Amino acid sequence: MPKRFIWFLSVGLLLVAIGIWHGATLQEGHTWVGDGPGYIMQAQAIAAGTPFQGTNYAPNPYRFGAPSLYPPGFPLLLAPVLAVFGVSIPALNGVMVLLLVFFAGVIAWLFKEELPGMSLPFLVAFLGFHPLLWYIKHHIHSDLLFSALLLLSLYAYEQASQEEQTCVRWTFITAFLVFAATLTKVQGLILPITFCVYSVLRSRKLSSIALVTLLAGGSAYVFYQFVYLALDPHTGSTYVELVSSTASRDHGSMGAVMWQQSIRIKNTLVSLWANGRPGLYALKMAPFYLSWPFFFWGFFRRMRTRFSSFEVFTVLYTASLLPWSFYWDRYLLPILPFYLFYVVQGVLELTKKISPRVTAALFLVAIAGSMWMFSGRYLHHYHRSVVYNMAGPFASADVQHFIAEAPALLPKEAKLMGEQPRSYALLLDRLATFPHRGRFGLPLFHDLLNLNVTHVIANERLPENLKALLTTHPSLFRLKYYTPSIKLYALHPDALPSTILPAHAPFPRHTVIPLTLSPL
């Protein structure tokens, strides 16, 4: 049989196995925390034909928690699913499993000419079955789609750079993928920057392909930042401004932020080798440290013999994570295939003079070790999913009862304040915003009035300043709902003495209150 057919068959069977594993091991419930509810609400607005009318989540200008609207790429993908199935967790989980398989398939396609023999299936299987991706696929996030688009863009750019006869076609494909990636996450702008840097390093000038991708990425960013966000009624500040203000306010210096991010990135890479077995910490650290000589050998060997945009992207994307003031393991997802790729390249380079049988035996040992690591991690994950439930804080009976009964207690024009506001905005179909810290007593109550807040959801995660306000000024609130773990209060501003009422009218919803920034 032709080698091409054998390759497609073997990779296809591997991807089917990955899909079956992740589909069969989906856990009940859903974590309604984080970005997922925001993406779902945005997709609902697109499905309803009202993409520019905002969602029920309204950012608090005193505290950046999340943008009011994300780039529309991922919500556009979810919109048809929500239009057909509604907010169906099985349907949304199915989308995430398909995206995971798609991501694994893109990795195989990207490296199909780079890794010989067993090395490519090993790399795809290691990432495809990895417990980190098992965890990521249980959350409604854009990272799997974004990572796949990044890798496809790199592949298309390499084709456009190498195949002169099909340059126009591949240039158009590359520009489209860059546009799609930037409309999925603004970090997609790293792609045209990568291509510009690479073209200058390779030929001492900007190539036409790099310029076209720069135009495509810039157009996507301008559309999101100055059209899509500008039309949202709940914000008047850009995403980058809010993130940068949070970084300066919370950390004080960019150096501190970058150092903290580097530690987090290192911890993610360490966890890639975790075995999930208590007391075997050294067996997690040993492969992590052993991987780096192979990584650097493979990386610098490629720079000398086959320098490509892969190396520039690896450095620039990793560097782009350092200035951010927040971090999740999934942010490193686009880099993990390259980290493993250079490790495998280093192993192949250092063992190429050894018998092929010995090299094959080494990969068999690596496969056996991976299975041993994964088994411990999956047992640990399943234990956590049984004990803590995938639904997290929204799994308790008290919260479930509150979600069921609160809509009858809240007028449609209500605006809620509490932790996890995007979750409450989706589940209760009311406006919701984050609480903020740093203000106390009556000035804090005036902030609530300025933000048009009508109700406060109190639980153990509520900031201490707001808990103190509820305790020290009970006359300003009316208890509307009570359980031991969650309470609903309605604001009662009529109880304020007229002499201390705020002298100004409440801020309209679209107004952003200026933030006082500490110096860098």
Side-chain angles (χ1 to χ4, degrees):
M1 289 185 290
K3 288 185 177 181
R4 189 177 181 86
F5 175 80
I6 294 174
W7 186 90
F8 275 106
L9 179 63
S10 58
V11 170
L13 290 174
L14 178 58
L15 296 179
V16 168
I18 291 172
I20 291 174
W21 168 255
H22 286 286
T25 56
L26 281 167
Q27 300 297 284
E28 293 185 4
H30 179 68
T31 172
W32 291 108
V33 299
D35 298 335
Y39 280 121
I40 293 172
M41 285 189 290
Q42 200 168 330
Q44 285 179 319
I46 293 172
T50 57
F52 298 110
Q53 292 187 13
T55 67
N56 282 333
Y57 165 64
N60 183 341
Y62 290 104
R63 170 192 171 184
F64 175 74
S68 55
L69 292 175
Y70 298 96
F74 186 55
L76 277 170
L77 179 69
L78 296 181
V81 178
L82 293 174
V84 175
F85 299 101
V87 185
S88 167
I89 296 306
L92 293 171
N93 282 340
V95 172
M96 300 310 297
V97 170
L98 290 176
L99 286 175
L100 191 156
V101 175
F102 178 57
F103 175 57
V106 170
I107 294 172
W109 188 258
L110 182 66
F111 297 135
K112 64 183 173 65
E113 303 295 338
E114 309 282 351
L115 297 176
M118 297 176 58
S119 56
L120 178 62
F122 169 75
L123 188 153
V124 174
F126 185 89
L127 273 178
F129 288 108
H130 200 282
L132 175 61
L133 268 73
W134 183 90
Y135 182 78
I136 288 174
K137 66 103 185 283
H138 280 96
H139 298 75
I140 311 300
H141 291 148
S142 63
D143 299 271
L144 286 168
L145 174 63
F146 176 64
S147 301
L149 290 172
L150 288 180
L151 300 189
L152 282 174
S153 300
L154 290 166
Y155 175 82
Y157 177 79
E158 288 298 311
Q159 296 300 311
S161 300
Q162 297 171 12
E163 301 183 18
E164 295 181 1
Q165 294 181 351
T166 57
C167 184
V168 174
R169 175 167 62 95
W170 280 110
T171 298
F172 175 80
I173 294 172
T174 306
F176 172 78
L177 290 169
V178 168
F179 185 85
T182 308
L183 272 189
T184 302
K185 293 185 77 170
V186 292
Q187 291 91 329
L189 285 173
I190 204 66
L191 285 168
I193 297 173
T194 294
F195 301 148
C196 289
V197 171
Y198 172 70
S199 67
V200 169
L201 291 176
R202 191 180 73 163
S203 59
R204 308 302 181 197
K205 64 178 182 179
L206 282 177
S207 66
S208 59
I209 306 170
L211 290 174
V212 170
T213 60
L214 190 62
L215 178 63
S219 299
Y221 179 76
V222 167
F223 171 77
Y224 167 63
Q225 198 74 65
F226 301 106
V227 177
Y228 196 59
L229 269 184
L231 293 174
D232 175 35
H234 300 321
T235 184
S237 185
T238 65
Y239 181 57
V240 173
E241 288 171 347
L242 290 170
V243 172
S244 62
S245 68
T246 303
S248 60
R249 187 176 65 248
D250 294 347
H251 299 275
S253 74
M254 186 56 68
V257 173
M258 296 177 72
W259 173 252
Q260 192 173 56
Q261 288 294 77
S262 65
I263 297 299
R264 290 166 173 168
I265 290 172
K266 174 252 186 184
N267 291 337
T268 298
L269 294 176
V270 169
S271 71
L272 203 65
W273 306 100
N275 54 64
R277 291 174 171 84
L280 295 178
Y281 180 75
L283 290 179
K284 174 174 69 174
M285 299 304 296
F288 168 73
Y289 286 117
L290 286 173
S291 70
W292 286 106
F294 295 109
F295 172 86
F296 286 117
W297 184 265
F299 183 85
F300 289 111
R301 181 69 176 172
R302 261 192 69 93
M303 287 196 67
R304 290 184 60 187
T305 60
R306 196 177 175 183
F307 179 53
S308 70
S309 60
F310 294 178
E311 290 72 51
V312 179
F313 173 78
T314 301
V315 173
L316 292 183
Y317 185 86
T318 304
S320 73
L321 296 177
L322 297 179
W324 294 85
S325 61
F326 46 86
Y327 177 83
W328 297 100
D329 289 344
R330 54 190 169 86
Y331 294 168
L332 207 61
L333 192 58
I335 290 301
L336 296 183
F338 292 101
Y339 165 64
L340 294 172
F341 169 66
Y342 292 121
V343 170
V344 173
Q345 284 274 23
V347 172
L348 292 174
E349 284 290 331
L350 293 172
T351 60
K352 64 183 179 182
K353 294 184 179 180
I354 302 176
S355 167
R357 291 185 178 181
V358 175
T359 304
L362 288 175
F363 275 106
L364 288 175
V365 171
I367 292 170
S370 301
M371 293 175 65
W372 179 78
M373 286 193 306
F374 291 177
S375 62
R377 289 282 296 277
Y378 277 119
L379 288 173
H380 177 69
H381 276 309
Y382 272 108
H383 172 71
R384 286 185 63 84
S385 68
V386 170
V387 174
Y388 299 106
N389 193 293
M390 291 301 295
F394 287 83
S396 71
D398 282 352
V399 176
Q400 293 291 327
H401 291 154
F402 172 73
I403 296 298
E405 298 176 22
L409 304 173
L410 295 167
K412 288 296 292 184
E413 65 275 9
K415 183 176 182 180
L416 314 175
M417 175 175 280
E419 292 293 347
Q420 307 301 341
R422 291 169 292 179
S423 306
Y424 289 117
L426 172 65
L427 298 173
L428 299 179
D429 192 23
R430 300 293 189 276
L431 280 176
T433 190
F434 277 102
H436 56 278
R437 300 169 177 83
R439 300 266 281 180
F440 297 89
L442 292 177
L444 175 60
F445 189 78
H446 291 166
D447 291 346
L448 269 58
L449 296 180
N450 291 339
L451 294 170
N452 298 324
V453 171
T454 62
H455 294 75
V456 173
I457 299 173
N459 55 25
E460 60 180 9
R461 301 188 61 185
L462 197 69
E464 292 300 322
N465 60 333
L466 201 47
K467 288 181 180 178
L469 179 65
L470 292 168
T471 303
T472 57
H473 295 82
S475 62
L476 300 180
F477 300 91
R478 294 286 184 266
L479 184 63
K480 306 290 288 185
Y481 182 91
Y482 173 86
T483 69
S485 61
I486 189 167
K487 306 170 185 66
L488 177 67
Y489 292 92
L491 271 66
H492 186 53
D494 293 342
L496 274 173
S498 58
T499 55
I500 59 171
L501 277 171
H504 53 274
F507 287 92
R509 273 198 227 155
H510 64 274
T511 300
V512 172
I513 303 168
L515 294 169
T516 303
L517 307 181
S518 58
L520 290 174

